[in-house]
Amino acid sequence: MSSPSATMAVWSSAWLSGAAAADDVLDALQDWAELHEVVAADESLAATLELPVRGEPGGAPAALLAALRRAGVDGGRLVMPVPGDVRGLGGPSAFATEALRAGEAVVLDNLGVVPERLGRAVDTGIVRWIVFEVGQLPPAANVPLGEAEHELTGAMRVAAGMLIELGVAKQRAGVREELQARIAERTKASWPAGMPQRALRVLQRAAEVSAILELAMEDEPGGALSASAALKRAEALRPLFHAVRTARCAAVADAVRTLSDHAGRL
């Protein structure tokens, strides 16, 4: 899979442009959790969007789609901030804080939506979508999809080599089968019928690289890895995580643009 926010950005944009039905959006969100709820971050925004305020029982995702339509939103973009790289969030704000905590968010014109996972497991828990008013955020960095794909292809080779260098295969029995299972799980996702194939390929490859990196980061047999070795490993893998985030954002931007252009020609 990609991320809940990538799913929301692509599918809500497809719905807003007339390229998908509301039921299709709601079905796609279930790849992440059986239940989703939506709340506004403050009372003023809750009244404007006709959504429950944070702290009250959440509303249905369909209410968010209706609110986006009433607000005149025409499309979304994915942001994936991490400490040291908070591009796309603007200055300090409640939205920026929550997006950084989650590591992802959707910007829909002057609204920011952050997923919050509730429950111990994503597939059996609840995803709560918190809506913030964000005003005019700086434009997203325009990374061409081809450039992002090229960087990601290189990252995949490096990540695979890193598993060998770290000795993960030797230290962890059945690692190949485990990795294949993780990749299969993370590349399983629903996308709109008009999803551009190159964007889809990049999202799938990003999921594969992410699975490899996740395996490399968590493998510490017996807790024997020293603090300095763990730090070196994290530093070595950081550019690869950056390539994954860049590729996902570029692929989502390309998909949103393509779906909107296609709907405009109908």
Side-chain angles (χ1 to χ4, degrees):
M1 294 186 194
S2 180
S3 74
S5 295
T7 297
M8 176 65 80
V10 172
W11 276 101
S12 63
S13 298
W15 178 75
L16 289 165
S17 63
D23 285 347
D24 295 332
V25 182
L26 304 181
D27 288 345
L29 290 176
Q30 290 196 325
D31 285 336
W32 295 102
E34 294 180 2
L35 298 174
H36 293 258
E37 62 180 40
V38 181
V39 296
D42 57 68
E43 292 184 357
S44 175
L45 186 59
T48 299
L49 298 180
E50 300 179 21
L51 294 173
V53 70
R54 193 175 190 177
E56 296 180 352
L64 174 59
L65 295 180
L68 295 178
R69 181 79 79 193
R70 287 194 300 273
V73 174
D74 57 12
R77 62 181 171 93
L78 174 66
V79 292
M80 303 196 78
V82 294
D85 183 1
V86 294
R87 288 173 293 177
L89 298 184
S93 67
F95 167 68
T97 298
E98 292 291 340
L100 184 58
R101 175 193 55 77
E104 60 180 279
V106 187
V107 176
L108 297 135
D109 291 357
N110 68 334
L111 300 175
V113 186
V114 180
E116 179 183 31
R117 293 178 174 88
L118 308 179
R120 298 181 62 184
V122 173
D123 59 346
T124 57
I126 299 173
V127 172
R128 174 187 293 150
W129 297 89
I130 308 169
V131 186
F132 297 83
E133 188 169 13
V134 297
Q136 292 297 318
L137 293 178
N142 181 24
V143 178
L145 186 57
E147 178 182 324
E149 183 177 22
H150 177 74
E151 181 180 357
L152 187 61
T153 299
M156 192 168 189
R157 288 195 297 267
V158 174
M162 193 69 66
L163 287 183
I164 297 173
E165 183 178 334
L166 292 170
V168 173
K170 294 180 180 179
Q171 299 165 352
R172 191 164 181 160
V175 67
R176 185 181 299 276
E177 293 75 15
E178 182 179 353
L179 180 57
Q180 289 175 342
R182 291 188 186 210
I183 290 175
E185 176 63 25
R186 283 155 181 74
T187 55
K188 163 179 86 169
S190 303
W191 299 105
M195 185 77 171
Q197 290 304 301
R198 190 174 193 182
L200 179 58
R201 181 175 70 243
V202 170
L203 285 172
Q204 290 174 331
R205 184 165 294 172
E208 293 172 4
V209 177
S210 180
I212 295 172
L213 295 177
E214 179 185 281
L215 183 61
M217 283 296 292
E218 74 181 24
D219 189 84
E220 299 181 12
L225 196 65
S226 68
S228 61
L231 179 60
K232 289 180 180 178
R233 179 181 62 182
E235 290 175 348
L237 296 179
R238 187 174 294 115
L240 310 184
F241 282 108
H242 174 76
V244 169
R245 296 198 315 276
T246 299
R248 283 177 169 160
C249 290
V252 167
D254 183 78
V256 168
R257 183 168 50 251
T258 300
L259 291 167
S260 298
D261 289 348
H262 177 71
R265 291 193 297 269
L266 296 180

